[in-house]
């Protein structure tokens, strides 16, 4: 019996990529599988011992030291672990470190949930001993573009006190900021061991992109440029403004520099044109609206990356980019973006990147999760007390009474803990649930998802192997 089992879902933030990815799956768990889900902050590994759930749910098991520790600790307690992959569009040329922070090189999760057949084939070839765990679920975080409604341009501009703008161009930042902090430099050195010139190349590209953006901003004063900082360009323990390709442009009157306070899906929805140096958000734009032009600003387009770039227009410099902008606002389109080759590329890229663009990826994932729940039983777990995790839990809840952000940011030994006290309550999760549940309810009713699950036709219809 699955019904009534208890799941503990870990997050490091109550907004952004991982939260958006997990919430549709949580809806499936609660409304179709009829299990309960409780959220826990990643710092609180001790919650496993306190709450004694039947299963641990993670957005990924390798993306941070804490996620890895949670998966290992739960596995050692004989608990079932179910994990997704936050960054599932990985390169299959051998340069991607798919173990991440998992130094043991052991898959502690029941299933390795891969986004596409492309990544499945790659991992199956490189880790054949674990092929029985590998499944293709699709990219869950992309489902929202087929299910939710998003903030309108008028609503967004009114909230921001910017009603005079009628034209909006969005730009998704790259992780250039990593080269300006020690943790970022260490990560680059680890992931790019065979590329000693990587940091210098990043610096050069960053300043070139910054200058192209600057010229665009200055040449189009009637256009609002929304510049979105990359969420992972700096570890959350680093406070203060970090240098990147956008920071020095933020004071222009027609620039809105956004960090984590706005959802990426709302920004894509209100933008007339979506730009980036290199970003999966380009694909998100295609899934949301096929007619939405995406432009990559690439002064040096010949660098190692995934194939997403072949679905967008490439602008090497400012004159080229400005010409595209002018064409769009004069005609309502950019002809080059709708060339047959690019359109076919985008269709194939959606398949190769996120597997499916139909909104059912979280349902596919939920069906595999149900298999883990069939075997999950907290009565069989050991739940061994860990003094280390207990101490971390106690310290967080003791020091929170003395937490003053402005003070902690000035103290060398405490500023790295600011993110803990700002995020640990995960208060926004309930806000998002209230916002998203009606959309999900309509989607489920329209597609008879619960009925199909109950009559056992859902797996067959979604081509899930039982």
């Amino acid at each position: 019996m699955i019904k009534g089992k208890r799941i503990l879902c870990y997050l490091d933030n109550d907004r952004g990529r991982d939260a958006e990815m997990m919430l549709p799956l949580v809806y499936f768990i609660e409304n179709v599988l009829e299990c309960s889900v409780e959220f826990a902050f990643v710092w609180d590994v001790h919650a496993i011992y306190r709450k004694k759930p039947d299963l641990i749910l993670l957005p990924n098991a390798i993306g941070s030291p804490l996620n890895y520790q949670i998966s290992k600790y739960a596995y050692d307690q004989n608990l079932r672990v179910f994990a997704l992959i936050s960054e599932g569009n990985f390169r299959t040329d051998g340069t991607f470190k798919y173990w991440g922070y998992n130094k043991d090189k052991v898959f502690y999760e029941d299933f390795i949930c891969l986004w596409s057949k492309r990544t499945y084939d790659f991992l199956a070839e490189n880790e054949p001993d674990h092929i029985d765990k590998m499944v293709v679920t699709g990219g869950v975080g992309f489902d929202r573009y087929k299910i939710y409604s998003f903030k309108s341009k008028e609503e967004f501009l009114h909230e921001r006190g910017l009603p005079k703008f009628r034209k909006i161009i969005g730009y998704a930042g790259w992780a250039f900021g990593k080269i300006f902090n020690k943790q970022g430099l260490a990560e680059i050195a680890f992931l790019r061991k065979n590329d000693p010139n990587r940091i210098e190349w990043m610096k050069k590209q960053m300043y070139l992109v910054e200058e192209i953006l600057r010229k665009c901003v200055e040449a189009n004063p009637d256009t609002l440029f929304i510049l979105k900082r990359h969420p992972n360009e700096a570890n959350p323990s680093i406070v203060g403004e970090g240098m990147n390709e956008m920071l020095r442009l933020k004071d222009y009157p027609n620039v809105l520099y956004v960090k984590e306070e706005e959802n990426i899906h709302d920004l894509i929805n209100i933008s007339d044109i979506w730009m980036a140096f290199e970003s999966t958000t380009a694909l998100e734009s295609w899934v949301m609206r096929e007619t939405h032009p995406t432009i990559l600003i690439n002064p040096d387009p010949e660098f190692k990356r995934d194939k997403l770039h072949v679905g967008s227009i490439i602008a090497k410099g400012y004159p080229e980019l400005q010409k595209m902008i002018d064409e769009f606002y004069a005609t309502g389109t950019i002809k080059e973006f709708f060339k047959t080759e690019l359109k076919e590329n985008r269709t194939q890229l959606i398949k190769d990147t996120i597997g499916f663009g139909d909104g059912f990826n979280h349902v596919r994932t939920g069906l595999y999760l149900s298999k883990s729940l069939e075997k999950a039983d907290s009565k069989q777990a050991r739940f061994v007390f860990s003094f280390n995790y207990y101490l971390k839990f106690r310290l967080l809840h003791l020091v929170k009474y003395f937490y003053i952000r402005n003070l902690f940011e000035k103290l060398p030994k405490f500023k790295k803990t600011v993110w803990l006290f700002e995020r640990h309550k995960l208060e926004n999760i309930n806000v998002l649930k209230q916002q998203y549940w009606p959309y999900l309810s309509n989607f489920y009713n329209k597609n008879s998802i619960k009925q199909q699950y109950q009559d056992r036709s859902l797996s067959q219809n979604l081509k899930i192997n039982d």
Side-chain angles (χ1 to χ4, degrees):
M1 280 288 293
I2 292 175
K3 184 177 179 180
K5 289 191 176 178
R6 297 175 300 110
I7 296 169
L8 188 62
C9 177
Y10 275 94
L11 289 173
D12 69 352
N13 203 347
D14 59 7
R15 64 191 71 232
R17 181 195 63 188
D18 287 353
E20 296 290 349
M21 183 173 66
M22 300 306 283
L23 284 171
L25 179 58
V26 169
Y27 183 91
F28 181 88
I29 294 168
E30 293 180 342
N31 291 276
V32 176
L33 303 183
E34 299 182 35
C35 296
S36 64
V37 179
E38 186 173 356
F39 288 90
F41 187 52
V42 289
W43 186 259
D44 185 14
V45 187
H46 180 61
I48 295 174
Y49 180 82
R50 294 198 319 278
K51 300 179 182 298
K52 297 178 173 53
D54 295 297
L55 180 141
I56 299 299
L57 179 60
L58 291 164
N60 67 77
I62 62 168
S64 74
L66 284 169
N67 282 30
Y68 155 70
Q69 289 170 23
I70 291 166
S71 65
K72 179 175 171 57
Y73 178 63
Y75 181 86
D76 288 344
Q77 310 309 302
N78 201 30
L79 269 179
R80 293 284 169 179
V81 178
F82 192 91
L84 281 68
I85 297 182
S86 299
E87 293 283 359
N89 179 33
F90 55 80
R91 294 180 302 279
T92 53
D93 59 1
T95 61
F96 178 73
K97 307 293 184 183
Y98 53 81
W99 287 111
Y101 285 93
N102 185 337
K103 59 186 179 181
D104 300 338
K105 295 187 177 182
V106 174
F107 291 109
Y108 293 116
E109 58 268 46
D110 281 352
F111 293 98
I112 305 165
C113 297
L114 296 157
W115 284 11
S116 67
K117 182 68 163 51
R118 175 183 64 86
T119 53
Y120 174 94
D121 289 343
F122 167 78
L123 203 61
E125 182 179 348
N126 284 269
E127 298 292 339
D129 292 343
H130 304 286
I131 196 169
D132 289 345
K133 283 191 169 190
M134 298 178 196
V135 294
V136 177
T137 60
V140 174
F142 297 84
D143 284 356
R144 65 190 190 273
Y145 294 106
K146 294 296 185 183
I147 300 173
Y148 303 165
S149 294
F150 303 107
K151 194 174 293 185
S152 69
K153 182 185 291 189
E154 293 73 19
E155 183 183 359
F156 179 88
L157 291 172
H158 177 74
E159 288 177 355
R160 288 285 184 165
L162 299 166
K164 68 175 183 176
F165 291 103
R166 294 293 178 268
K167 304 174 182 177
I168 299 179
I169 295 177
Y171 172 83
W174 201 53
F176 287 115
K178 288 183 182 294
I179 61 179
F180 295 98
N181 63 77
K182 289 182 180 180
Q183 289 170 314
L185 288 170
E187 184 177 327
I188 295 168
F190 173 72
L191 296 175
R192 297 282 180 171
K193 291 177 181 178
N194 300 322
D195 190 359
N197 300 318
R198 182 69 173 183
I199 293 171
E200 286 304 313
W201 177 85
M202 288 177 67
K203 283 183 181 178
K204 181 180 178 180
Q205 297 305 305
M206 190 197 80
Y207 289 118
L208 288 171
V209 172
E210 179 191 55
E211 187 57 25
I212 293 169
L213 287 172
R214 184 189 303 278
K215 288 179 178 178
C216 270
V217 167
E218 292 176 348
N220 301 275
D222 64 337
T223 302
L224 178 66
F225 287 83
I226 301 179
L227 310 181
K228 177 70 166 68
R229 178 182 183 265
H230 192 286
N232 295 323
E233 79 171 24
N235 188 284
S237 64
I238 299 173
V239 298
E241 295 282 14
M243 181 60 178
N244 56 34
E245 76 272 38
M246 302 164 286
L247 185 66
R248 296 195 294 186
L249 308 178
K250 67 182 180 67
D251 293 326
Y252 279 87
N254 60 327
V255 167
L256 182 61
Y257 180 52
V258 178
K259 288 178 276 190
E260 294 184 4
E261 62 269 26
E262 290 290 347
N263 293 316
I264 191 67
H265 49 244
D266 287 325
L267 301 183
I268 293 173
N269 188 53
I270 65 173
S271 296
D272 304 317
I273 298 171
W274 190 253
M275 306 192 303
F277 174 76
E278 177 77 355
S279 176
T280 309
T281 59
L283 185 140
E284 294 177 52
S285 173
W286 308 336
V287 174
M288 177 185 283
R289 195 163 65 244
E290 293 179 2
T291 57
H292 200 197
T294 54
I295 302 172
L296 300 184
I297 303 174
N298 293 155
D300 172 19
E302 302 300 325
F303 62 96
K304 272 193 174 181
R305 51 178 165 171
D306 60 51
K307 292 183 177 180
L308 279 180
H309 66 282
V310 302
S312 295
I313 320 168
I314 306 295
K316 296 181 182 179
Y318 163 70
E320 199 175 352
L321 179 57
Q322 186 61 55
K323 186 178 178 181
M324 296 173 189
I325 293 172
D326 291 340
E327 181 187 355
F328 178 83
Y329 286 116
T331 68
T333 189
I334 303 174
K335 285 185 179 180
E336 187 180 349
F337 184 72
F338 293 99
K339 284 183 177 178
T340 301
E341 181 183 358
L342 264 66
K343 289 172 68 176
E344 291 175 350
N345 286 345
R346 289 193 288 274
T347 299
Q348 188 62 43
L349 284 165
I350 289 173
K351 181 179 180 181
D352 288 346
T353 305
I354 63 170
F356 314 89
D358 57 6
F360 285 88
N361 292 333
H362 73 284
V363 178
R364 294 180 179 92
T365 305
L367 289 171
Y368 285 111
L369 174 60
S370 70
K371 298 182 180 189
S372 287
L373 283 169
E374 288 172 357
K375 300 174 183 177
D377 186 356
S378 60
K379 294 177 182 178
Q380 296 177 3
R382 299 167 60 217
F383 295 115
V384 176
F385 178 80
S386 167
F387 181 76
N388 179 41
Y389 293 140
Y390 171 77
L391 183 62
K392 284 185 175 182
F393 163 73
R394 280 298 172 201
L395 283 173
L396 176 65
H397 289 277
L398 174 64
V399 179
K400 71 181 182 183
Y401 296 108
F402 305 96
Y403 172 68
I404 302 172
R405 180 177 181 128
N406 291 337
L407 175 62
F408 273 48
E409 286 181 340
K410 296 174 183 176
L411 299 173
K413 290 187 178 181
F414 288 89
K415 65 181 181 180
K416 290 184 178 181
T417 67
V418 167
W419 75 281
L420 298 175
F421 299 104
E422 291 293 310
R423 297 182 182 183
H424 76 95
K425 293 181 181 179
L426 299 176
E427 292 177 312
N428 194 51
I429 292 298
N430 285 330
V431 175
L432 292 178
K433 288 177 75 172
Q434 291 176 12
Q435 181 182 348
Y436 296 156
W437 262 221
Y439 299 134
L440 285 157
S441 177
N442 289 337
F443 181 78
Y444 274 56
N445 290 335
K446 179 182 177 181
N447 293 284
S448 304
I449 292 175
K450 187 166 185 176
Q451 181 180 342
Q452 288 188 67
Y453 175 77
Q454 291 174 340
D455 65 24
R456 300 183 180 275
S457 63
L458 188 56
S459 295
Q460 183 178 354
N461 292 339
L462 291 177
K463 297 179 181 179
I464 299 294
N465 295 323
D466 288 324

